[in-house]
């Protein structure tokens, strides 16, 4: 299967998502308070956007159906391509990088000093990417996080998280 | 009367000129241009990312210095992309992709230095043309923009998203429009500007303030770029040594018609909302190839090809500033970053700008001019040493970018929540980019969303809920016709794309 085929399947999912999303947007906007008339109500513009999403979603769904998007989804499930995705090196690499970002942003920054949080993030990311040997990685992580912190706080007086 | 107005403009220009010529400002511009060139030269770090990373340095600066700083970064980064395009065949910025077509073959022949020299000089010429256009065209657009009512502003916002979606998607414009309208929707989150009614806040207190523009932009362009670059290893090596850099006068003279033509194309495309420097470079390259006597040599290592692409991408900067200053609509993604930064400093571009800040246009033009001269000088000086910067492994550089994006997101509003917004938009941007959705319409949608919302509601209120009185307004008619044409041509492209791929896909499925 080429790239083009995968896009048809992805477009079908996105098309259906947009139709559902548009429906939710319309429902939410109709539930918003009307002050004078519906034309100047807070929900009026989101209501129009909901209609646009349903329309564009329908166009995408129709187009991807014609491009055999549904057959491709069925084929992917049949051939266990979703499981194959998780053994894909590129996919695994991105997932691990995202996980490291999540730890840095949602755990380290909230709880640790910025320099320590950044040094830890850099150490684990550089180590995972095999960017250099371990001594260099430790050196780069500590020096870089310290320099970034000093540069922004001392030279530019910018608050750090 | 007209002569008085002209004299007033001349007076404002010289006032801005003298106001900008002081040591701190000049040093800031030199530093910013150098930083822009270096960041732009590094593959994976785009001009938008350069602005996203360095915007945080401008938070603590005085307004004038912040403007000069950001413009210096912008000018430097767009030109900087040509180094890696020529030396390693990986464009430092998407704007330099067309440059690689002729630049890299030249480097393989040992003429990489000459290609860089031509690229830098062409960028310089492109900037001069665009600054001239910015100075002379902008006042006329201000006058037209003053006649815009709420209805016209609404149509302009829709036109911006539609044309941006159309131009930034190669095959299927519907994808561009989808992200553009998703941008509109993102702008709806938070308290409604008229009644302060909370919309789509999911009960979260932090979302009542809305999605801050800068964290969203940093996420879309910064974090998604980190993931795109790091998802696979692409080893590269620098070919040949940089020897002669400055081309002969004869060569420069022969490239003047190409530079002028490409400069005008660059300005024109820059002025179209969201089209961007990469589109300008490709169009100028294509036009250059068709109109040149040596058209068949394009793509084989032709200095004219390098000049066409490089003049146009830098000329786009001045062009992008025209709709930004007159209508608050950025002409390109880096210009969107610039717009977000000046909003942060409390300046509202639009038709009232010449009244509220009379010399602002000329201050921008003078800052661009100073940055242009530094770009020429520094660009030629650092052509040789830049090779050692390009040797830094991206696996070391890109992880370091994340803490910088975190600081950029946090420093504007001093809210941890903004860092989380950046992360969310980074992941969203990565997924959308992998699925062939362009990012420029999303950003434009976030910027223009509030304008579209308020203008549409107010226009309908003024016409007492009827569209009929609104349809008779001349500027509105022009915009409506333009929107209808974009929609028609876009849907035609989508239908052709579907038809073409229906046949191909049927064959693929039948074969196995």
């Amino acid at each position: 299967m080429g790239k083009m085929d995968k896009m048809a399947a992805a477009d079908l999912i996105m098309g259906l998502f947009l139709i559902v999303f548009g429906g939710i947007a319309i429902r939410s906007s109709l539930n918003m308070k009307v002050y004078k008339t519906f034309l100047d109500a807070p929900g009026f513009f989101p209501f129009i956007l909901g209609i646009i999403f349903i329309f564009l979603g329908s166009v995408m769904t129709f187009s991807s159906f014609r491009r055999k998007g549904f057959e491709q989804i069925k084929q992917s499930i049949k051939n266990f391509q979703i499981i194959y995705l998780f053994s894909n090196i590129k996919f695994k690499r991105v997932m691990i990088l995202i996980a490291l970002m999540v730890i840095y942003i949602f755990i380290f920054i909230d709880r640790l000093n910025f320099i320590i949080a950044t040094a830890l993030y850099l150490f684990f990311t550089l180590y995972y990417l095999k960017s250099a040997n371990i001594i260099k990685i430790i050196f780069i992580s500590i020096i870089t996080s310290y320099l970034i912190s000093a540069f922004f706080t001392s030279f530019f007086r910018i608050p750090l998280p | 009367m007209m002569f008085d107005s002209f004299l007033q403009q001349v007076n404002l220009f010289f006032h801005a000129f003298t106001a900008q010529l002081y040591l701190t400002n000049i040093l800031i511009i030199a530093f910013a241009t150098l930083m822009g060139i270096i960041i732009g030269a590094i593959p994976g770090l785009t001009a938008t990312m350069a602005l996203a990373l360095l915007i945080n340095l401008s938070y603590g600066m005085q307004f004038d210095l912040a403007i000069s700083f950001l413009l210096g970064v912008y000018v430097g980064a767009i030109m900087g992309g040509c180094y890696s395009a020529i030396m390693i065949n990986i464009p430092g910025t998407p704007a330099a992709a067309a440059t690689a077509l002729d630049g890299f073959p030249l480097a393989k022949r040992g003429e990489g230095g000459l290609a860089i020299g031509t690229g830098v000089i062409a960028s310089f010429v492109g900037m001069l043309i665009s600054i001239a256009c910015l100075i002379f065209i902008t006042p006329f657009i201000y006058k037209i923009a003053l006649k815009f009512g709420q209805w016209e502003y609404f149509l302009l916002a829709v036109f911006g998203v539609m044309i941006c979606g159309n131009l930034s998607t190669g095959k299927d414009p519907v994808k561009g429009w989808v992200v553009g309208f998703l941008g509109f929707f993102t702008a709806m989150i938070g308290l409604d500007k008229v009644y302060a009614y909370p919309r789509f806040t999911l009960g979260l207190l932090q979302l009542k303030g809305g999605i801050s523009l800068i964290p969203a932009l940093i996420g879309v362009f910064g974090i998604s770029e980190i993931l795109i670059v790091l998802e696979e290893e692409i080893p590269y090596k620098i070919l040949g040594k940089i020897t002669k850099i400055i081309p002969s006068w004869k060569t420069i003279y022969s490239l003047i018609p190409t530079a002028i033509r490409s400069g005008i194309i660059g300005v024109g495309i820059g002025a179209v909302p969201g089209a961007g420097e990469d589109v300008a470079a490709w169009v100028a390259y294509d036009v250059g190839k068709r109109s040149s006597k040596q058209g068949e040599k394009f793509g084989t290592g032709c200095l004219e090809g390098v000049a066409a692409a490089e003049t146009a991408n830098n000329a786009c900067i001045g062009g992008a500033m025209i709709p930004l200053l007159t209508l608050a609509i950025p002409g390109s993604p880096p210009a969107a970053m610039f717009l977000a930064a000046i909003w942060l400093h409390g300046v509202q571009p639009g038709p009232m700008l010449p009244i509220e800040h009379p010399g602002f246009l000329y201050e921008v033009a003078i800052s661009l001019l100073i940055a242009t001269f530094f770009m020429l000088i520094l660009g030629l000086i650092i052509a040789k040493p830049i090779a050692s910067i390009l040797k830094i492994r991206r696996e070391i550089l890109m992880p370091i970018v994340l803490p910088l994006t975190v600081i950029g997101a946090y420093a504007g509003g001093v809210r941890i929540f903004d860092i989380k917004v950046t992360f969310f938009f980074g992941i969203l941007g990565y997924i959308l980019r992998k699925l062939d959705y362009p990012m420029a319409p999303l950003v434009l949608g976030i910027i223009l969303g509030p304008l579209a919302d308020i203008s549409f509601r107010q226009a309908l209120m003024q016409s007492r809920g009827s569209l009929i009185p609104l349809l008779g307004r001349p500027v509105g008619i022009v915009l409506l016709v333009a929107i209808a044409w974009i929609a028609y041509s876009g849907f035609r492209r989508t239908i052709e794309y579907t038809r073409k791929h229906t046949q191909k896909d049927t064959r693929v499925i039948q074969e196995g």
Side-chain angles (χ1 to χ4, degrees):
Chain A
M1 271 188 139
K3 193 186 175 195
M4 164 190 75
D5 306 319
K6 283 177 194 163
M7 281 306 154
D11 289 353
L12 178 62
I13 295 167
M14 185 64 156
L16 293 172
F17 166 78
L18 281 172
I19 293 171
V20 175
F21 185 70
I24 294 169
I26 289 174
R27 198 166 165 240
S28 309
S29 51
L30 288 174
N31 284 335
M32 286 178 194
K33 194 175 172 182
V34 176
Y35 290 85
K36 288 177 191 162
T37 66
F38 186 58
L39 292 174
D40 84 331
F44 182 64
F45 197 67
F47 173 78
I48 304 285
L49 286 178
I51 294 170
I52 292 172
F53 286 136
I54 291 177
F55 174 68
L56 292 177
S58 307
V59 172
M60 281 186 80
T61 307
F62 178 73
S63 164
S64 52
F65 256 117
R66 295 279 316 262
R67 281 150 48 215
K68 313 284 177 202
F70 187 63
E71 279 84 347
Q72 284 148 30
I73 292 174
K74 274 202 305 195
Q75 223 170 43
S76 298
I77 295 167
K78 218 164 104 186
N79 298 346
F80 293 102
Q81 286 190 355
I82 294 170
I83 294 166
Y84 169 76
L85 189 70
F86 286 91
S87 59
N88 181 307
I89 296 169
K90 217 163 126 177
F91 183 76
K92 244 163 82 177
R93 201 171 150 103
V94 169
M95 283 297 126
I96 291 170
L97 288 170
I98 291 174
L100 288 165
M101 285 179 180
V102 168
I103 294 168
Y104 176 55
I105 291 171
F106 290 86
I107 301 171
F108 286 177
I109 285 186
D110 264 349
R111 292 170 177 79
L112 301 173
N113 172 283
F114 182 77
I115 299 178
I116 299 167
T118 305
L120 285 172
Y121 164 74
L122 286 178
F123 173 78
F124 287 117
T125 309
L126 295 173
Y127 181 75
Y128 169 69
L129 293 170
K130 297 186 184 84
S131 309
N133 63 46
I134 192 87
I135 305 292
K136 263 191 189 171
I137 288 175
I138 294 170
F139 181 76
I140 293 170
S141 308
I142 296 170
I143 295 295
T144 309
S145 47
Y146 176 75
L147 284 179
I148 290 174
S149 175
F151 185 70
F152 282 99
T153 48
S154 306
F155 281 97
F156 290 92
R157 306 203 180 282
I158 285 163
L160 296 182
Chain B
M1 188 76 174
M2 205 173 150
F3 185 68
D4 285 349
S5 171
F6 175 72
L7 278 183
Q8 194 189 357
Q9 294 300 317
V10 172
N11 189 26
L12 282 171
F13 178 81
F14 281 103
H15 181 74
F17 192 77
T18 47
Q20 294 292 303
L21 281 183
Y22 62 99
L23 190 63
T24 316
N25 193 39
I26 290 171
L27 288 176
I28 286 274
I29 295 176
F31 171 71
T33 312
L34 182 65
M35 293 297 285
I37 293 174
I38 292 170
I39 295 178
I42 296 167
L45 298 183
T46 61
T48 317
M49 193 150 176
L51 281 157
L53 292 178
L54 297 173
I55 203 167
N56 43 28
L57 297 185
S58 74
Y59 291 152
M61 292 180 189
Q62 279 175 17
F63 176 62
D64 290 0
L65 291 177
I67 295 296
S68 301
F69 177 78
L70 293 168
L71 290 173
V73 172
Y74 189 2
V75 170
I78 294 293
M79 188 284 282
C82 84
Y83 292 108
S84 48
I86 292 166
M87 287 156 80
I88 55 177
N89 203 22
I90 301 175
T93 60
T99 311
L101 292 185
D102 282 290
F104 190 61
L106 279 163
K108 281 205 279 191
R109 290 207 304 252
E111 294 175 62
L114 210 56
I116 289 172
T118 305
V120 174
I121 294 169
S123 299
F124 175 75
V125 176
M127 281 305 304
L128 293 184
I129 293 171
S130 79
I131 293 166
C133 291
L134 175 69
I135 291 172
F136 291 108
I137 295 173
T138 309
F140 292 104
I141 310 282
Y142 275 134
K143 281 187 182 157
I144 296 169
L146 275 172
K147 290 176 186 158
F148 279 29
Q150 298 297 341
W151 175 240
E152 285 76 15
Y153 270 113
F154 163 69
L155 290 176
L156 197 68
V158 176
F159 169 78
V161 165
M162 294 283 285
I163 195 159
C164 181
N166 212 350
L167 291 175
S168 54
T169 344
K171 305 158 203 162
D172 190 357
V174 170
K175 288 190 170 184
W177 299 337
V178 164
V179 285
F181 288 112
L182 279 176
F184 270 5
F185 186 82
T186 307
M188 296 302 109
I189 297 170
L191 292 181
D192 161 47
K193 297 275 186 299
V194 181
Y195 293 108
Y197 182 86
R199 296 189 289 193
F200 310 107
T201 53
L202 308 169
L204 292 171
L205 189 67
Q206 293 101 324
L207 277 180
K208 282 195 176 171
I211 301 287
S212 306
L213 183 60
I214 291 179
L217 293 189
I218 291 176
V220 164
F221 292 108
I223 291 185
S224 73
E225 194 70 39
I226 296 172
L227 293 170
I228 296 266
V229 172
L230 287 180
E231 70 180 5
E232 57 187 328
E233 281 182 75
I234 307 170
Y236 56 78
K237 62 176 182 180
I238 295 165
L239 284 181
K241 279 190 175 174
I242 305 289
T243 48
K244 190 187 172 198
I245 294 168
I246 300 173
S248 64
W249 279 111
K250 196 181 158 194
T251 309
I252 294 174
Y253 184 74
S254 71
L255 294 174
I256 288 174
T258 306
I260 293 173
R261 183 182 56 233
S262 306
I264 293 166
I265 291 171
V267 174
I269 291 176
V272 177
E277 290 79 9
D278 45 344
V279 178
W282 282 115
V283 172
Y285 185 85
D286 188 52
V287 172
K289 191 177 176 177
R290 286 166 201 268
S291 50
S292 170
K293 286 175 192 163
Q294 299 180 317
E296 75 286 351
K297 287 187 182 169
F298 272 56
T300 61
C302 170
L303 285 176
E304 206 178 326
V306 174
E310 281 303 307
T311 312
N313 64 24
N314 266 85
C316 195
I317 296 173
M321 286 293 149
I322 298 172
L324 188 150
L325 294 176
T326 53
L327 302 160
I329 296 176
S332 66
M337 289 299 305
F338 178 74
L339 178 64
I342 59 173
W343 270 343
L344 200 79
H345 283 272
V347 170
Q348 180 66 49
M352 298 309 285
L353 189 67
I355 298 158
E356 289 162 3
H357 300 271
F360 189 72
L361 163 67
Y362 300 117
E363 281 171 26
V364 168
I366 302 296
S367 295
L368 282 174
L369 192 66
I370 299 170
T372 301
F373 278 96
F374 277 118
M375 179 198 74
L376 177 72
I377 297 161
L378 296 169
L380 294 173
I381 291 172
I382 67 165
K384 286 181 187 176
I386 202 99
S388 48
I389 291 167
L390 291 179
K391 282 178 190 160
I392 299 173
R393 290 189 67 196
R394 290 192 290 180
E395 283 78 10
I396 295 178
L397 203 69
M398 296 311 279
I400 295 172
V401 170
L402 184 72
L404 299 177
T405 60
V406 163
I407 296 172
Y410 177 78
V414 197
R415 293 197 308 171
I416 291 284
F417 179 71
D418 285 340
I419 303 174
K420 291 167 186 170
V421 168
T422 299
F423 176 74
F424 173 79
F425 274 89
I427 302 299
L428 181 74
Y430 173 75
I431 295 168
L432 290 175
R433 283 170 74 172
K434 294 304 284 182
L435 298 176
D436 277 354
Y437 289 85
M439 288 299 99
L442 178 72
V443 169
L444 205 62
I446 299 174
I447 290 171
L448 297 178
L451 178 78
D453 176 26
I454 302 292
S455 307
F456 190 38
R457 284 157 66 189
Q458 287 184 346
L460 282 174
M461 287 303 289
Q462 282 164 5
S463 66
R464 297 180 185 197
S466 171
L467 278 173
I468 308 295
L470 300 171
L471 294 175
R473 299 166 68 124
V475 182
I477 291 172
V478 174
L479 286 166
L480 266 177
V481 170
I483 291 167
W485 172 251
I486 294 164
Y488 169 73
S489 64
F491 280 123
R492 260 188 67 176
R493 268 170 65 200
T494 302
I495 292 166
E496 276 167 26
Y497 172 74
T498 307
R499 200 173 289 157
K500 205 170 126 193
H501 287 271
T502 305
Q503 291 158 0
K504 271 191 187 175
D505 287 10
T506 309
R507 256 181 275 144
V508 169
I509 284 176
Q510 278 169 355
E511 283 164 17

